[in-house]
Amino acid sequence: MRKLMWFVLGMGFSCVLCAYWLQEGRLPWLALLSVCLGLMLVGFGSGNPVLRRAGAALLGCAAGFAWFYGYNLYYLSTAVSLDSCTQHARFSVTDDPWETDYGIGTECRMTLDGKDYRVCVYLDGEEKIQAGDRIQGEFRFRVTTPEGEAGATYHRGNGIFLLAYQTDQITVERGSDSAWSLIPVRLRRAVADILEQHLAPDTLPFAKALLLGDTSGLDYALDTALKVSGIRHVAAVSGLHVSILVALLTMVTFRKRILLAAAGIPVLVLFAAVAGFTPSVTRACVMSALLLLAQLANREYDGPTALSGACLLMMLVNPLVVTSVGFQLSVGSVAGIYLFSPGIRGWIYSRLRQKKPWEKAAAKWFAGSVSVSLGATLMTTPLTAGYFGMVSLIGVITNLLVLWLIGLVFYGLVGMCLLALLWQPLSALIGAMLNPAIRVVLWIARTLSDFPLAAVYTRSVYIVGWLVLVYGLLAVFLLSRNKRPGLLAGCAAAGLFLALLASWIEPALPGTRMTVLDVGQGQCILLQSQGRTYLVDCGGDTDDGAADVAASALLSQGISRLDGLILTHCDRDHAGAVSNLLSRVKTDLLVLPEEASPLADEAGCTVLYASEVLTLSFGDAEITIYPPLYPGEGNESSLCVLFDSENCDILITGDRDGFGERSLLRNAQIPQVDVLIAGHHGSKNSTCEELLQAVKPKIVCISVGADNPYGHPAPELLQRLAAYGCQVYRTDLNGDLVYRR
């Protein structure tokens, strides 16, 4: 059966190539070439296991190329034909809506050319809808695959290939949610109601995440603490939850194989449906169902084969599932457990002294827990580093401390929901007992996440280099005959020390350093000189995303406290992420425009309102902050910031347009500058000719989001900058902009 594993590896590899790189027209030829080579290797390698495995992998590649080509031709092409089109459409609502920044979103189904499609539909929120309703109206469509004009989105990995945006009035046909297909929705509602009745407000969001995978209630600070401490996976229904559920089913069915399979498989299907058939929970449920069937048939269960079977099934349903981050992390963690955990467990257990029975039991538990966590981490760290820019160093300890308690909480939540149907007082009592247990989990996560070096951030090139070194050493270790784990761990620790040292020293070198962070359509600028660090603005495409970018840039340099945070104005794209950032990085000083802002109450530091010219001096450098001529709440009320050091001048004008820039020149003596931050993200009405003529910038930086709806940077601005001979750098094209002088 291990041949299936090699076949699925080949198929997964080809699906990844198709999803990210290969052109559709080449797929039939690649499939033909792969099948020919595969059959040759299988035929000639009858006595050579290596050739047989390679042949199986090549046949899997052929199957992947052929399946992806057929899937795209028959199914995806219909969805792609709707990209950027606006037309009348009719949808059946299959889930309850969720709130968005501009209204509500909901998952629906629609029929195109006789084929059924899952669609995310975004509405303005004027009409109340629920699962079972039918809606129709004019919608603008966007395809979620790379063939679309706006590029690919994460939805494709979840089997959603179309997004639909309301463009006109819609009509809603009220329906009933009594259909069999909506049972998971009703069950999810009922469970959520029970949790809301019996749990405290501070524990409810985590309980919903743990049991239902609903993370919408987790605030930014808690979500970040879970990530940094390495247990964010418990807040997204995954293999851990399914394994706990199977253990519970095994206990209540008294290990009776027939009863366990008869009850367990339907429960697993229902559980996956309630969780929304996310790739991670689907993978876990399929593997668990195979385990129950193997026990029922009295056959040996082979983990790698079961993992391969689950992946094969999921790729047959949707070959683009390989692009799902959840799928990659889920498969990677299980593969890491199978590959590395046995060896790690044996090595740890052999070095623990055990004489008494309880010592042996404790050593076995400790070795097993650590080995599972380390095995999963070894395979998933490159993924988390690439996708999230962070690697938790304390995750193994956190998992060791809380996973046993997570299991008890999960059992308690399930029991509480079941008892709520029978006797509410007992259900309420269990809820009261669960509140302290959940608080302990959250306290551990928050406490450990606050530890120095709880995590490292790949925004530092030195940390990226360290990771490459560690995995290079791991490859050498696995290939060597004389394996020395202690030497491997020592080299990894020494490399980390050197990488951190370089990450912290390099930004503190003499001179001036400015970093325009890539936060999308927003602004966040880091100014550093003589050991001082100031941040100007913090906002972007999303509040969470901009805060993550700013926090990781600072923490990767060992900066956990700012000397000052200056907000040019309080629009969301300049200040929306400040509250989230301050939950991770504190500041000694907050400078605000005169307009009222709740940030003054949240900062927990000295607050200055720039009603007149302010000067912040440190050594030979100083920051001068210019108030607006006419304070208010518009773009013209932006503060202007002049950073003046011995060898560098930088000017930031916020979102002022030409009128505000000219008023600045009339009321202040602005010198010629080395760097100018283009006003209002490159608007045609900002960075006027008078300003360019006065400050004569050598370099102009534009903080702008890719594919923004405003057309920034405007062609008129780019022409002005070219006429004045400015070197132009843009975050949408160049990413973070780092200037050192």
Side-chain angles (χ1 to χ4, degrees):
M1 292 298 291
R2 287 292 176 92
K3 295 184 182 68
L4 176 65
M5 182 182 72
W6 295 103
F7 179 87
V8 172
L9 278 173
M11 185 172 180
F13 176 73
S14 62
C15 285
V16 168
L17 291 179
C18 294
Y20 289 109
W21 294 292
L22 293 180
Q23 297 178 357
E24 181 184 354
R26 298 179 179 178
L27 300 188
W29 302 106
L30 288 172
L32 181 60
L33 177 62
S34 298
V35 75
C36 291
L37 291 175
L39 291 174
M40 287 175 58
L41 289 178
V42 170
F44 290 113
S46 57
N48 189 323
V50 175
L51 291 180
R52 290 202 305 271
R53 292 166 186 167
L58 281 170
L59 291 176
C61 286
F65 290 134
W67 179 245
F68 203 99
Y69 178 77
Y71 192 87
N72 191 61
L73 187 66
Y74 172 75
Y75 191 72
L76 292 182
S77 59
T78 304
V80 171
S81 66
L82 284 182
D83 188 51
S84 301
C85 294
T86 300
Q87 65 180 50
H88 187 273
R90 181 180 176 89
F91 304 98
S92 298
V93 182
T94 58
D95 204 349
D96 288 334
W98 61 87
E99 292 185 3
T100 69
D101 290 339
Y102 306 102
I104 60 173
T106 186
E107 187 175 320
C108 301
R109 288 191 176 274
M110 70 178 299
T111 301
L112 294 171
D113 293 343
K115 290 167 279 193
D116 189 52
Y117 291 86
R118 293 169 63 195
V119 186
C120 268
V121 178
Y122 295 96
L123 308 170
D124 58 21
E126 295 181 1
E127 293 279 353
K128 291 185 177 181
I129 61 171
Q130 66 175 12
D133 291 346
R134 290 181 173 83
I135 55 179
Q136 58 180 320
E138 292 288 324
F139 290 87
R140 177 176 57 84
F141 287 91
R142 174 187 174 181
V143 70
T144 63
T145 61
E147 291 79 7
E149 288 186 6
T153 73
Y154 71 91
H155 300 84
R156 56 181 173 156
N158 296 326
I160 297 174
F161 302 119
L162 283 170
L163 309 179
Y165 301 88
Q166 178 183 349
T167 60
D168 204 345
Q169 293 294 320
I170 62 169
T171 58
V172 180
E173 179 185 336
R174 299 301 175 190
S176 171
D177 62 358
S178 59
W180 283 94
S181 61
L182 298 180
I183 288 178
V185 178
R186 299 199 301 272
L187 182 57
R188 193 184 308 127
R189 284 184 205 150
V191 171
D193 289 342
I194 294 170
L195 296 179
E196 290 170 0
Q197 290 175 20
H198 298 317
L199 295 177
D202 61 322
T203 63
L204 176 63
F206 182 79
K208 282 187 173 181
L210 179 64
L211 196 58
L212 299 174
D214 178 9
T215 59
S216 60
L218 297 177
D219 61 41
Y220 177 81
L222 176 56
D223 194 49
T224 300
L226 295 174
K227 291 177 182 176
V228 174
S229 62
I231 58 169
R232 180 59 173 79
H233 59 95
V234 305
V237 177
S238 61
L240 171 67
H241 306 73
V242 175
S243 63
I244 296 173
L245 180 62
V246 171
L248 178 62
L249 289 169
T250 303
M251 182 175 61
V252 299
T253 56
F254 305 103
R255 297 183 179 273
K256 302 295 184 182
R257 291 180 297 175
I258 297 177
L259 182 59
L260 178 58
I265 293 176
V267 168
L268 287 171
V269 173
L270 182 60
F271 184 73
V274 170
F277 285 111
T278 59
S280 58
V281 74
T282 302
R283 189 276 311 159
C285 286
V286 172
M287 290 186 67
S288 297
L290 292 174
L291 170 63
L292 299 184
L293 290 173
Q295 292 176 346
L296 182 63
N298 201 23
R299 299 287 298 272
E300 182 181 356
Y301 174 77
D302 182 67
T305 301
L307 176 61
S308 303
C311 293
L312 177 61
L313 177 62
M314 295 173 71
M315 287 188 291
L316 289 175
V317 173
N318 172 23
L320 285 168
V321 73
V322 295
T323 65
S324 165
V325 178
F327 176 81
Q328 295 173 14
L329 289 172
S330 179
V331 173
S333 63
V334 176
I337 291 170
Y338 289 144
L339 285 172
F340 300 115
S341 292
I344 297 173
R345 181 171 57 249
W347 185 82
I348 294 175
Y349 186 77
S350 67
R351 277 153 180 77
L352 295 175
R353 295 180 179 179
Q354 338 95 26
K355 295 182 180 179
K356 300 178 182 180
W358 70 268
E359 291 177 337
K360 292 183 178 181
K364 186 177 181 181
W365 171 82
F366 178 80
S369 299
V370 172
S371 65
V372 167
S373 183
L374 277 176
T377 300
L378 284 172
M379 287 295 287
T380 57
T381 291
L383 294 172
T384 57
Y387 286 120
F388 309 122
M390 178 178 65
V391 176
S392 174
L393 298 181
I394 208 166
V396 173
I397 297 174
T398 314
N399 280 274
L400 192 65
L401 291 175
V402 305
L403 285 189
W404 65 273
L405 187 54
I406 291 291
L408 295 178
V409 171
F410 188 88
Y411 290 148
L413 292 173
V414 172
M416 182 183 73
C417 293
L418 293 175
L419 287 172
L421 304 175
L422 304 174
W423 194 26
Q424 285 284 345
L426 183 56
S427 179
L429 177 61
I430 294 177
M433 296 169 63
L434 288 173
N435 283 321
I438 295 175
R439 291 188 182 110
V440 169
V441 172
L442 301 183
W443 177 82
I444 291 173
R446 291 188 177 107
T447 301
L448 293 184
S449 68
D450 288 337
F451 277 22
L453 297 182
V456 292
Y457 301 87
T458 56
R459 186 166 288 272
S460 165
V461 67
Y462 303 106
I463 294 298
V464 174
W466 169 71
L467 285 173
V468 173
L469 171 67
V470 167
Y471 279 89
L473 292 174
L474 179 62
V476 173
F477 171 81
L478 294 174
L479 294 173
S480 64
R481 294 183 178 180
N482 184 21
K483 292 180 171 56
R484 302 175 63 182
L487 180 61
L488 174 64
C491 291
L496 177 61
F497 172 77
L498 294 175
L500 290 171
L501 192 63
S503 298
W504 297 347
I505 290 178
E506 192 265 340
L509 293 174
T512 297
R513 178 186 173 103
M514 179 199 72
T515 307
V516 182
L517 296 171
D518 181 12
V519 290
Q521 188 68 11
Q523 182 166 285
C524 188
I525 302 169
L526 187 61
L527 301 175
Q528 297 171 284
S529 182
Q530 300 183 8
R532 298 291 188 95
T533 303
Y534 284 82
L535 195 69
V536 179
D537 290 338
C538 189
D541 286 338
T542 64
D543 296 346
D544 291 359
D548 282 341
V549 169
S552 63
L554 293 166
L555 294 172
S556 66
Q557 300 177 27
I559 300 170
S560 58
R561 193 171 193 90
L562 291 164
D563 292 287
L565 172 58
I566 304 167
L567 299 184
T568 58
H569 60 302
C570 293
D571 284 357
R572 188 172 182 180
D573 60 339
H574 287 252
V578 170
S579 295
N580 291 341
L581 174 65
L582 292 178
S583 70
R584 303 178 66 181
V585 177
K586 304 305 178 184
T587 184
D588 292 329
L589 175 68
L590 177 63
V591 181
L592 297 170
E594 277 194 282
E595 61 184 279
S597 171
L599 294 171
D601 301 324
E602 302 172 7
C605 65
T606 302
V607 178
L608 290 180
Y609 288 96
S611 56
E612 57 185 22
V613 177
L614 296 175
T615 301
L616 308 174
S617 299
F618 46 97
D620 295 329
E622 64 180 23
I623 295 177
T624 306
I625 302 168
Y626 300 95
L629 186 62
Y630 305 107
E633 296 186 356
N635 290 333
E636 297 309 312
S637 67
S638 295
L639 303 180
C640 292
V641 179
L642 175 65
F643 180 82
D644 180 14
S645 68
E646 184 178 357
N647 54 6
C648 178
D649 293 314
I650 300 169
L651 179 63
I652 304 168
T653 59
D655 275 356
R656 289 195 189 189
D657 64 15
F659 173 80
E661 293 166 348
R662 287 187 287 270
S663 71
L664 171 67
L665 296 174
R666 286 194 302 270
N667 292 277
Q669 292 184 348
I670 306 299
Q672 294 184 12
V673 301
D674 298 281
V675 181
L676 172 66
I677 307 300
H680 203 182
H681 319 290
S683 166
K684 67 179 180 180
N685 299 316
S686 299
T687 318
C688 64
E689 289 207 24
E690 291 88 340
L691 180 67
L692 292 172
Q693 187 173 12
V695 302
K696 295 181 172 57
K698 301 174 184 176
I699 295 173
V700 175
C701 298
I702 307 176
S703 183
V704 62
D707 300 319
N708 67 83
Y710 312 104
H712 294 162
E716 296 91 333
L717 169 69
L718 297 177
Q719 291 172 6
R720 281 200 299 273
L721 297 179
Y724 279 88
C726 302
Q727 298 180 45
V728 178
Y729 298 94
R730 300 162 44 175
T731 57
D732 62 330
L733 299 180
N734 308 113
D736 290 348
L737 309 177
V738 180
Y739 175 81
R740 179 183 286 282
R741 185 73 178 272

